[in-house]
């Protein structure tokens, strides 16, 4: 009989907040529900799929940002705009997880997003006075 402890991740993604004093401890508790490597692999594969989906969603917004920039209808940038890696590492620190791992992932995501945006960025030249 197969262990379906992995369903906890899908059914109770916020269980980590109530199971430990930090999110990381909660995820540690949740991962301990796996009793075999198949459960571990199933969860990693599910998380990888979620990450891929979120990156695709992010890139859709990057593309939309380029389209808006192409019209020269720009809103003023908020303070901290473009600091995804910095915000992510701050969040990682608050969650009690590895800032270095999160920072390197977000550095790569930002670089890829910038490259992706360039494919769609073709701003209208500003009129000369």
């Amino acid at each position: 009989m197969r262990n379906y402890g992995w369903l906890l991740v899908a059914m109770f993604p916020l269980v980590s907040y109530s199971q430990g004093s930090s999110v990381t401890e909660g995820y540690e508790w949740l991962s301990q529900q796996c009793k075999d490597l198949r459960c571990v692999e199933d969860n990693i594969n599910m998380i990888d799929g979620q990450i891929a989906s979120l990156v695709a969603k992010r890139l859709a917004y990057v593309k939309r940002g380029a389209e808006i920039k192409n019209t020269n209808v720009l809103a003023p940038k908020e303070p901290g705009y473009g600091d995804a890696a910095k915000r992510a590492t701050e969040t990682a620190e608050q969650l009690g997880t590895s800032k270095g791992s999160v920072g390197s992932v977000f550095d790569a995501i930002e670089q890829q997003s910038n490259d992706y945006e360039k494919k769609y960025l073709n701003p209208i030249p500003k009129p000369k006075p």
Side-chain angles (χ1 to χ4, degrees):
M1 184 169 181
R2 193 159 175 200
N3 177 352
Y4 289 98
W6 62 270
L7 285 174
L8 288 173
V9 175
M11 293 171 51
F12 303 107
L14 298 178
V15 72
S16 59
Y17 290 102
S18 62
Q19 295 297 328
S21 61
S22 75
V23 172
T24 301
E25 289 175 16
Y27 288 137
E28 289 288 333
W29 174 87
L30 201 56
S31 72
Q32 293 301 314
Q33 304 314 300
C34 283
K35 303 303 180 200
D36 58 40
L37 287 176
R38 180 62 184 192
C39 175
V40 170
E41 183 180 332
D42 287 348
N43 276 281
I44 289 172
N45 289 340
M46 181 182 61
I47 292 164
D48 289 349
Q50 291 170 339
I51 291 168
S53 177
L54 289 170
V55 169
K57 184 178 180 179
R58 187 181 202 281
L59 291 177
Y61 281 98
V62 167
K63 181 180 178 183
R64 181 62 185 140
E67 293 168 351
I68 291 170
K69 288 178 182 179
N70 288 340
T71 67
N72 281 333
V73 179
L74 301 176
K77 293 182 180 177
E78 295 292 324
Y81 175 83
D83 293 335
K86 180 180 176 193
R87 287 190 309 275
T89 54
E90 289 169 355
T91 300
E93 186 173 40
Q94 293 167 358
L95 298 176
T97 193
S98 170
K99 291 184 348 180
S101 296
V102 171
S104 62
V105 167
F106 273 86
D107 284 340
I109 288 172
E110 278 188 312
Q111 181 60 54
Q112 291 299 314
S113 293
N114 290 339
D115 293 346
Y116 188 76
E117 180 185 52
K118 288 176 186 172
K119 288 174 33 179
Y120 298 99
L121 196 57
N122 190 14
I124 300 168
K126 293 184 180 181
K128 295 181 181 176

